[in-house]
Every structure is written in C-alpha cells, then in structure tokens.
C-alpha cells in the first residue's frame, strides 16, 4: 500500500455485533435485563426533545434499554450489504460475536462460524474489504461467570478464540482489530461502573488494563502465526482535550498509554474520534448526546498519532443526530481533516463512519441515532438519510 494512492484508501462504515445483530446472548444482554428499568427511571429526570420522546423506542421506555432484535442485521445482512454497496464504500468494519462462536467454554459453534464466513464472502462479492474486530465489549456468559478479564485464565480463553478465528478466516480476511477501545472500556466497566461487570474498583481496573495489553499482544502473535500477511491493529478512543494545561496528561494516560504499550505488536493504529472534551463549561456545537463537535480535534489527534510512525485509519467517527440536521456538515468537516492530514504527509489509509445503520448504543439504548441509514424499529425498515447520500458523494468525488 502506498500512501497517496486513492485506490487503496479504505472508505468504510463501522458496526459492532451486539449493537446491530439482534438476539445475542452475552454479559451485556444480562446487564440489560437487570438495568433497563433503572435506566428508564433515570431518563425521566432529564429533559428530552419532543422528537425523541415521540420516537420509538423513546428514552423513557424500558424497551429502549434492551437490545432484543436490535436491527436484525444477523438475519438481514445480505440486504444490508446491498445497502453498503449503494453507499459506495469499499470496506466494512464489523465484529465477530465471541458469545455466538463459543457459547459454552471450549465448544465452538460451527453454524456461527459458517454465518460469519457467509458474511465475509457476501462483502467480498460486493468488493467490500472486511475489517474484523474480535472484541467489542461483549463476553460469553461462561467467561464472565469465571471472573471475566480478572481471571488468570482469561488470556488463554481469549487467545484460543482469536486463534480459531485466524485459522478459519486465514484466506478471507486481511485486516484484524483484536480489541476495540480497551482504554475507554476498562474505565467504564471497572471505575465508573456503567458497563458490565460494573465494578468500581481501582485495583481491578489496573489488573484488567494490563491484562488487555497482554490480550492484544497474544492476539497479535496468534494472528501473525496463522498468516504473517495479516494486518493487525488496535482501535483506541481518541478525545481532544480542550484545556491546554491538562492536555499532555490526558493524552498520555487516556489517548496514548495503551497504544504505546502495544506498539511493538501492531501494524496500524485505528483512531476512533468523536469529540472534544473539557473539564468545565459546555461546547457551542454539540450532538444530541451533548458531545462537543470539534473536527479540528481529529486533525490534531491524527498528527499526534502519526508521530508513532504507524499507518493510521480513522476506525470510527460519527454523531448522534436523529433529525439528520448536523451529520452532513459533521462528515464534510471531519473528512476534510483527513484530506488535510494526508496532504500533509500523514500515512492515513482509511475512514470508517460510525455507523452504517442506527444501532443499540449500550447503556443509552436505541435513542441515539448514529446511522447513515435510519432504522424504523417497529418495522425494521431502513431509510437512507440525506447524510448517507452525501457520504456517497464525498467518496465519489474525493481525489487525493
Ligand atoms: C464505540 C461504539 C459506540 C460509539 C458511539 C465508540 O466508543 O466503539 O461501540 O457506539 O462509540 O458511542
């Protein structure tokens, strides 16, 4: 791959299994069962726009917080891949759901493997490059019952799954991302307690953080052992800190620590960028989730990651915007940052929009709408948003 060669730029969309497939059975589904009513109750204390209250499911409904059928992407993937083709993309980042592949410890489900094989082939038939994430925050129940990542066996369990996927798809998949945003997840799951297992324990946080570093490294080894031509990367969440005084510390711990630790075991760095963050005050331009829209932050983060001398991909970037009033300008401005970065010699090789389709947004449930396609959750109808058309135009007209 040569930087600056437009034929090799990956224009893609991103999703994750639990957020779109429907009918998954993992630690998150358990969490939803026990937390939905509390989330709905808390939602009553917030002020919501009329349009969100009228939407289905509304943030006040308990069903908003249960992933259930989600977008039924598991069964509707063929028609959805047609839609991807209509978007004009040439790459799709998605995750393989570990709990489907290994629903009981050591028992691999051949039908689930066959499903993902069909999925990958369907993408390839449409000229879409699969980019596979192997861990996007969900775990088989048996794994979490054994203590999840706190268990000393967790590393071996995860690596066995990675190894199996690598051997199954050795000639079908080239790009692999073993872990999605481990640095962000570990804080949510073991410090803030808002994702399963919901512990608030600094000791556990540190233990799991370092175990995930090991998990990335051993996944890298397992993948490369199956096929040295595999491109294996890390996708980490990058946020741009507004206050200059705190920025170096924030960058060091939040944006760069994990990535630096796995630098010797990574072929590329995936940057998931959504927002600027601040310790006080509020941004002028925000999404429906209150996230500050700050495209320059993406350009600045790309510049910083480029210093690590690895190829870069924007593996996620998107906005919660149910009315689709801000997404088009969000897309244009963020992609412009990518174009500028490339012009300035940064080895950026792809941009993946989050998300292809509306999805289940973890503890927020269904109300945040990130999709280039809108989903009617009553009928499962998909409607291309205007911003989706604009993404297609950008893809068609961008010349590097
Ligand atoms: C996660 C996605 C999530 C997105 C929007 C990212 O941090 O990887 O799963 O949907 O942010 O919140």
């Amino acid at each position: 791959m040569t930087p600056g060669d437009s034929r090799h730029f990956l224009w893609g969309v991103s999703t994750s299994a639990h957020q779109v497939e429907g009918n998954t059975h993992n630690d998150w589904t358990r969490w939803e069962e026990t937390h939905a009513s509390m989330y709905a109750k808390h939602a009553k204390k917030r002020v919501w726009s009329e349009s969100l209250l009228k939407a289905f499911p509304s943030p006040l409904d308990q069903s908003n917080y249960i992933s259930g059928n989600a977008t039924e992407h598991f069964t509707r993937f063929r028609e959805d891949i047609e839609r991807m083709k209509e978007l004009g993309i040439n790459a799709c980042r998605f995750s393989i759901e570990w709990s489907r592949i290994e629903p009981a410890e050591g028992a691999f489900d051949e039908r689930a493997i066959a499903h993902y094989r069909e999925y990958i082939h369907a993408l390839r038939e449409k000229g879409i490059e699969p980019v596979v994430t192997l861990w996007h925050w969900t775990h088989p129940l048996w794994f979490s019952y054994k203590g999840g990542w706190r268990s000393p066996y967790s590393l071996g369990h995860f690596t066995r799954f990675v190894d199996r996927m690598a051997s199954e798809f050795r000639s079908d998949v080239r790009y692999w991302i073993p872990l999605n945003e481990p640095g962000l997840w570990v804080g949510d799951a073991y410090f803030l307690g808002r994702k399963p297992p919901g512990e608030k324990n600094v000791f556990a946080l540190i233990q799991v953080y370092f175990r995930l570093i090991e998990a990335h490294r051993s996944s890298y080894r397992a993948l490369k052992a199956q096929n040295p031509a595999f491109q294996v990367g890390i996708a980490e969440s990058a946020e741009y800190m507004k206050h200059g005084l705190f920025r170096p510390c924030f960058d060091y711990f939040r944006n760069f620590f994990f990535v630096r630790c796995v630098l010797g075991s990574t072929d590329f760095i995936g940057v998931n960028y959504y927002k600027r963050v601040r310790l006080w005050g509020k941004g002028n331009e925000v999404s429906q989730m209150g996230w500050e829209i700050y495209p320059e932050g993406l350009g600045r983060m790309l510049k910083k990651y480029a210093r690590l001398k690895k190829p870069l991909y924007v593996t996620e970037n998107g906005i919660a915007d149910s009315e689709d009033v801000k997404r088009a300008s969000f897309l244009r401005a963020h992609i412009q940052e990518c174009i500028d970065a490339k012009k300035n010699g940064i080895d950026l090789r792809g941009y993946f929009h989050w998300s292809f389709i509306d999805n289940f947004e973890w503890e927020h449930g269904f109300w945040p709408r990130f999709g280039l396609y809108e989903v009617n959750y009553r009928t499962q109808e998909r409607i291309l948003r205007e911003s989706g058309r604009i993404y297609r135009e950008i893809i068609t007209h961008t010349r590097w």
Side-chain angles (χ1 to χ4, degrees):
M1 274 206 197
T2 44
D5 183 342
S6 65
R7 285 168 309 165
H8 292 303
F9 193 81
L10 297 185
W11 285 110
V13 288
S14 274
T15 60
S16 92
H18 185 73
Q19 296 180 268
V20 294
E21 285 185 349
N23 299 311
T24 48
H25 192 55
N26 55 36
D27 60 337
W28 254 96
T29 37
R30 266 297 148 80
W31 177 268
E32 291 157 21
E33 283 159 19
T34 49
H35 287 71
S37 83
M38 181 196 84
Y39 287 147
K41 229 180 260 161
H42 280 198
K44 295 207 170 84
K45 298 183 193 144
R46 274 183 59 178
V47 180
W48 298 93
S49 72
E50 271 307 302
S51 66
L52 285 174
L53 289 177
K54 270 197 234 135
F56 176 80
S58 125
L60 306 186
D61 299 340
Q62 226 168 287
S63 61
N64 177 69
Y65 305 96
I66 307 268
S67 59
N69 291 339
T71 72
E72 296 181 0
H73 183 62
F74 191 81
T75 47
R76 294 172 182 263
F77 73 92
R78 286 193 185 279
E79 45 165 297
D80 282 343
I81 289 173
E82 291 284 344
R83 293 186 176 96
M84 290 181 194
K85 188 69 197 160
E86 279 162 32
L87 275 178
I89 57 170
N90 61 11
C92 168
R93 175 180 172 228
F94 65 96
S95 70
I96 292 183
E97 177 62 28
W98 183 10
S99 63
R100 286 192 194 277
I101 300 285
E102 196 182 351
E105 189 182 344
F108 288 82
D109 184 335
E110 294 298 335
R111 279 175 320 168
I113 295 172
H115 165 83
Y116 288 107
R117 179 162 289 116
E118 275 177 48
Y119 192 99
I120 290 163
H121 288 173
L123 287 173
R124 287 240 178 263
E125 274 162 29
K126 299 280 168 209
I128 300 175
E129 181 77 38
V131 176
V132 174
T133 309
L134 291 169
W135 176 83
H136 202 122
W137 302 351
T138 55
H139 307 94
L141 285 171
W142 61 264
F143 179 85
S144 53
Y145 291 153
K146 291 194 140 191
W149 289 105
R150 295 199 65 188
S151 152
Y153 302 110
S154 54
L155 203 57
H157 289 141
F158 184 66
T159 313
R160 181 177 56 187
F161 159 65
V162 173
D163 183 52
R164 179 68 185 260
M165 294 300 94
S167 81
E168 290 286 347
F169 302 122
R170 106 182 260 270
S171 45
D172 300 311
V173 174
R174 178 175 153 83
Y175 294 93
W176 298 87
I177 298 178
L179 305 178
N180 177 66
E181 300 187 355
L184 175 107
W185 176 82
V186 92
D188 275 6
Y190 288 94
F191 183 66
L192 300 170
R194 61 182 176 205
K195 289 186 169 51
E199 279 186 45
K200 295 182 182 174
N201 173 344
V202 180
F203 170 74
L205 176 143
I206 296 169
Q207 186 190 31
V208 171
Y209 194 95
F210 285 94
R211 187 146 287 141
L212 287 170
I213 289 172
E214 281 312 315
H216 175 92
R217 291 179 181 152
S218 65
S219 302
Y220 184 84
R221 286 193 295 271
L223 284 154
K224 289 289 200 184
Q226 287 289 347
N227 185 348
F230 281 164
Q231 292 298 295
V232 184
I234 176 76
E236 188 50 293
S237 150
E239 294 179 338
Y240 188 72
M241 168 51 73
K242 175 176 165 50
H243 318 292
L245 194 61
F246 297 101
R247 200 175 300 135
C249 177
F250 187 79
D251 275 346
Y252 185 83
F253 288 107
R254 172 66 171 68
N255 292 324
F256 283 90
F257 196 85
F258 199 97
V259 176
R260 279 188 196 284
C261 288
V262 299
L263 211 55
S265 311
T266 196
D267 300 319
F268 64 86
I269 298 170
V271 178
N272 291 358
Y273 178 81
Y274 288 87
K275 58 180 187 270
R276 175 160 81 171
V277 290
R278 39 175 91 215
L279 297 173
W280 58 84
K282 261 176 99 181
N284 296 331
E285 261 306 315
V286 294
S287 76
Q288 279 176 326
M289 291 178 88
W291 294 0
E292 185 179 355
I293 302 169
Y294 191 67
E296 296 91 315
L298 174 58
R300 292 186 189 166
M301 293 313 297
L302 289 175
K303 213 183 254 174
K304 293 184 197 210
Y305 282 106
R307 290 187 201 129
L308 301 178
K309 307 239 174 295
K310 296 277 177 183
L312 304 180
Y313 293 85
V314 174
T315 34
E316 284 182 33
N317 172 240
I319 177 169
D321 179 14
S322 60
E323 310 281 290
D324 204 34
V325 286
K326 296 187 177 175
R327 189 174 289 101
S329 61
F330 180 99
L331 260 167
R332 284 204 178 94
H334 285 81
I335 292 175
Q336 190 57 49
E337 292 293 329
C338 296
I339 294 172
D340 293 347
K342 262 182 90 70
K343 280 198 183 126
N344 291 327
I346 289 178
D347 186 5
L348 178 67
R349 300 186 183 186
Y351 171 89
F352 291 75
H353 192 75
W354 185 278
S355 178
F356 162 56
I357 198 169
D358 285 340
N359 54 66
F360 180 76
E361 190 50 39
W362 308 112
E363 65 271 27
H364 303 283
F366 287 108
W367 72 259
R369 302 286 189 135
F370 275 89
L372 294 169
Y373 277 91
E374 177 184 350
V375 175
N376 176 334
Y377 286 109
R378 285 189 207 277
T379 61
Q380 289 294 343
E381 190 191 353
R382 280 87 157 116
I383 303 147
L384 181 62
R385 292 196 161 107
E386 184 52 28
S387 52
R389 285 196 190 91
I390 287 168
Y391 187 40
R392 181 169 60 203
E393 267 172 38
I394 295 174
I395 295 174
T396 319
H397 294 117
T398 304
R399 296 278 170 268
W400 301 109

